[in-house]
Amino acid sequence: MKIRDFQSRDLWLRVAGHRLVVRKSSAEMERKMEKRFGIKEVVAIGIGTALFVALTQVQIPLGLPNTYLQPRMAVLAFLAAVFGPVVGGVVGVIGHALGDAFFYGSVWWSWVFPEAVVGIAIGLFAAKYAIKEGAFDKKAMIVFNIAQVVGNAVAWIVVAPLLDVLIYKEPALKVIATGRRRMSWQCAADRSAGYASGSRLFQNRCEVFEP
Amino acid sequence: MARILTYEEKDTWIHRLSGVTKLVFFLLWTLTSMLTYDTRVLLVMVVFSFVIYSMSRTKWRQVGSVLKFIAVFLVINLIAIFFFAPYEGVNIYGSRTELLHLFGNYTITKEQLFYEFNVMIKYFTIVPAVFMFVVTTNPSEFAASLNRIGVSYNIGYAIAIALRYIPDVQDDFTQIKHAQEARGIEMSSKASFMSRVRNMASIIFPLIFTSMDRIDVVSNAMELRGFGKHKKRTWYAGRKFTAADYITLAVTVLITVTALVITFYDGSRFYNPFL
């Protein structure tokens, strides 16, 4: 950041010897944000979430117990790629939470947030894909696939099991800890096997084991 | 495709509550029933759930199909728990009362049955709360309420749109599916896995394009009416907090705290009748 960009309303922080500038609310910044998050994005989140939730029920069984191919993941990837990380992340969170609530009668929170990680990861490079401009070429496809593989891996191999531990296994409750940990690592293994075999649509539903 | 839960206009005290109140109730209620495994707490919550549910005058046709789906799911779940962890109950309650030997390493124990009973009534506590929240809360009013508790009105509006359009998107899906089936694609389990994936794509792509059209139409309409021009907006469907809201909130918090205290005071989430 150049010095002359600095404004009097900005907040300075000193973190570990580095000087950080946290911009509070400069008008310019807000105008930029508005541009990125306009009416179209609001509606995209709305209709996208509706699409995601409606497709929750549409699953193709893979033959393994509780493991399905979920077309809704493809929809999430598409929305994130077209509308960017904010839309991707929010559709992931709200869509998964609502879908769980409507179809399973309870919400498995530690799986809701990884969904956002996938959406954000794919959405971060939305400008690179230039789908709206009609230029989804070979290079864009490569970027997209790297983003989705990394995003999915981080989400389901790192974030989901981590949250499973944080949210559902408090140390005081050792009684059930062993059972659930076994379950969640098993899920992680299943998931990584799914991704290793090359499909971004894989997501198994270990979450069915406890409401 | 089974229709899912949607809001229906009725005149009960639950319908008249503000969306915020119902959201807080819904979140605290599911949180409590997620945390507790105390059978006594759960049973009280089940009774409460059903009383509130019947007060909301929800009809079977509103929730029936979803309920059947959840019931099937619950049964599968209970059986799966038994096969994946047949001695979970024995581990939890620290005793072993065998009832019936099945085969190999599988024996039905009293502890396991009791544990699975707890899992089952957890569903019974949460499901009516979810149903009640969804069928009694007007999406527009809910958006207004979210905005009132500090959520950006853009997000509030997005959620309202989502709730409003889920049934429409489901209708689109069914129509496209029927059209494609009329053209001869096979969506049942008769088809091989790869052809099912391909056939699914032939439904998903038209659905995505229809939805993109819908996004255009709705956002144009909103733009015409000046959505997002100002920092704040007023709400047609907004509702003021009334005495009933404050009472409901107070009772909800009271129940949550009591339930959690009863659950955790002896250091375990479980109520152990086998001691």
Side-chain angles (χ1 to χ4, degrees):
Chain A
M1 172 180 282
K2 278 174 249 143
I3 286 299
R4 63 168 179 277
D5 284 346
F6 175 68
Q7 291 174 5
S8 58
R9 283 151 85 202
D10 293 351
L11 190 70
W12 287 73
L13 288 175
R14 201 172 272 281
V15 181
H18 296 282
R19 205 161 45 177
L20 291 179
V21 183
V22 179
R23 184 151 280 186
K24 261 155 104 188
S25 70
S26 78
E28 183 202 358
M29 198 76 167
E30 255 162 38
R31 240 177 290 127
K32 258 190 205 158
M33 281 299 288
E34 228 162 76
K35 232 182 177 180
R36 242 181 294 152
F37 197 81
I39 299 174
K40 197 144 234 175
E41 277 67 28
V42 172
V43 181
I45 290 176
I47 308 264
T49 306
L51 197 55
F52 190 86
V53 172
L55 287 177
T56 300
Q57 239 183 352
V58 181
Q59 299 175 329
I60 307 175
L62 278 175
L64 298 166
N66 285 308
T67 309
Y68 301 93
L69 210 57
Q70 292 195 314
R72 70 175 191 177
M73 291 303 285
V75 170
L76 178 68
F78 175 78
L79 289 166
V82 175
F83 294 104
V86 179
V87 174
V90 178
V91 168
V93 168
I94 305 178
H96 194 121
L98 286 181
D100 268 13
F102 289 153
F103 292 107
Y104 303 102
S106 64
V107 182
W108 193 250
W109 291 107
S110 58
W111 283 55
V112 168
F113 295 102
E115 203 86 61
V117 174
V118 178
I120 292 169
I122 295 173
L124 275 179
F125 304 96
K128 286 238 160 46
Y129 317 140
I131 292 178
K132 277 185 203 157
E133 290 77 31
F136 192 62
D137 55 4
K138 207 177 255 173
K139 211 177 101 197
M141 282 180 205
I142 294 171
V143 175
F144 173 83
N145 276 300
I146 292 172
Q148 64 95 353
V149 167
V150 173
N152 271 311
V154 170
W156 305 110
I157 302 172
V158 181
V159 181
L162 202 69
L163 287 177
D164 273 350
V165 175
L166 285 179
I167 301 182
Y168 294 104
K169 279 180 309 219
E170 304 86 334
L173 314 163
K174 267 232 168 76
V175 230
I176 59 152
T178 41
R180 286 221 42 84
R181 183 169 304 133
R182 193 172 57 231
M183 208 64 91
S184 75
W185 288 116
Q186 195 184 321
C187 292
D190 288 353
R191 271 174 241 152
S192 41
Y195 293 121
S197 58
S199 172
R200 76 183 127 88
L201 299 173
F202 273 88
Q203 187 194 350
N204 81 14
R205 296 202 60 96
C206 301
E207 58 203 284
V208 300
F209 287 102
E210 254 183 295
Chain B
M1 183 187 267
R3 290 194 71 93
I4 61 155
L5 313 165
T6 38
Y7 168 69
E8 206 164 289
E9 186 99 45
K10 278 188 187 120
D11 191 33
T12 71
W13 69 273
I14 296 173
H15 287 74
R16 281 193 296 270
L17 285 178
S18 148
V20 177
T21 313
K22 280 181 273 194
L23 180 67
V24 170
F25 168 80
F26 168 73
L27 289 177
L28 285 181
W29 196 259
T30 48
L31 180 81
T32 315
S33 94
M34 216 155 65
L35 287 176
T36 185
Y37 261 102
D38 192 308
T39 317
R40 297 159 300 180
V41 173
L42 283 172
L43 284 175
V44 172
M45 285 174 75
V46 169
V47 173
F48 251 96
S49 275
F50 280 99
V51 169
I52 295 170
Y53 177 79
S54 69
M55 276 178 167
S56 71
R57 282 199 262 144
T58 308
K59 294 278 187 316
W60 172 254
R61 64 173 167 74
Q62 282 176 271
V63 296
S65 57
V66 179
L67 200 62
K68 273 187 222 150
F69 186 77
I70 295 176
V72 171
F73 191 69
L74 172 63
V75 171
I76 295 174
N77 196 2
L78 289 177
I79 296 171
I81 292 178
F82 181 74
F83 280 99
F84 278 91
Y87 301 109
E88 190 71 15
V90 173
N91 289 337
I92 292 165
Y93 299 110
S95 64
R96 185 177 173 128
T97 324
E98 297 192 359
L99 287 178
L100 178 68
H101 180 75
L102 287 181
F103 53 85
N105 196 21
Y106 288 100
T107 305
I108 296 181
T109 59
K110 252 189 192 170
E111 287 78 5
Q112 182 71 10
L113 287 182
F114 187 69
Y115 166 69
E116 299 209 3
F117 170 73
N118 281 301
V119 173
M120 187 178 74
I121 56 177
K122 272 164 91 112
Y123 268 89
F124 291 162
T125 55
I126 296 181
V127 170
V130 176
F131 282 4
M132 200 218 51
F133 176 68
V134 179
V135 299
T136 66
T137 310
N138 181 342
S140 309
E141 198 265 324
F142 181 58
S145 309
L146 280 179
N147 186 219
R148 171 120 17 94
I149 57 171
V151 177
S152 141
Y153 76 75
N154 283 325
I155 295 292
Y157 226 87
I159 294 176
I161 292 176
L163 294 173
R164 157 74 182 74
Y165 279 101
I166 290 170
D168 291 41
V169 173
Q170 281 190 309
D171 284 348
D172 282 350
F173 178 87
T174 314
Q175 274 182 14
I176 296 170
K177 186 171 169 229
H178 287 167
Q180 297 289 34
E181 277 171 345
R183 296 178 61 197
I185 71 163
E186 176 70 75
M187 281 312 294
S188 69
S189 51
K190 272 185 266 170
S192 76
F193 176 72
M194 273 325 285
S195 75
R196 279 178 85 174
V197 172
R198 248 196 322 275
N199 295 342
M200 186 59 80
S202 65
I203 299 176
I204 300 288
F205 282 112
L207 186 61
I208 286 179
F209 292 131
T210 324
S211 303
M212 295 301 279
D213 275 350
R214 217 187 262 282
I215 292 175
D216 270 346
V217 171
V218 174
S219 57
N220 285 343
M222 281 163 69
E223 195 157 7
L224 279 174
R225 307 203 58 182
F227 181 86
K229 187 93 179 74
H230 299 291
K231 279 218 151 107
K232 279 186 182 162
R233 56 176 284 127
T234 53
W235 299 85
Y236 179 65
R239 212 170 249 161
K240 287 212 171 66
F241 261 52
T242 59
D245 285 297
Y246 290 111
I247 295 169
T248 312
L249 283 178
V251 172
T252 308
V253 171
L254 193 72
I255 292 177
T256 308
V257 172
T258 321
L260 292 183
V261 167
I262 293 177
T263 305
F264 287 105
Y265 83 106
D266 57 356
S268 158
R269 298 210 283 183
F270 297 89
Y271 167 66
N272 193 341
F274 300 102
L275 283 178

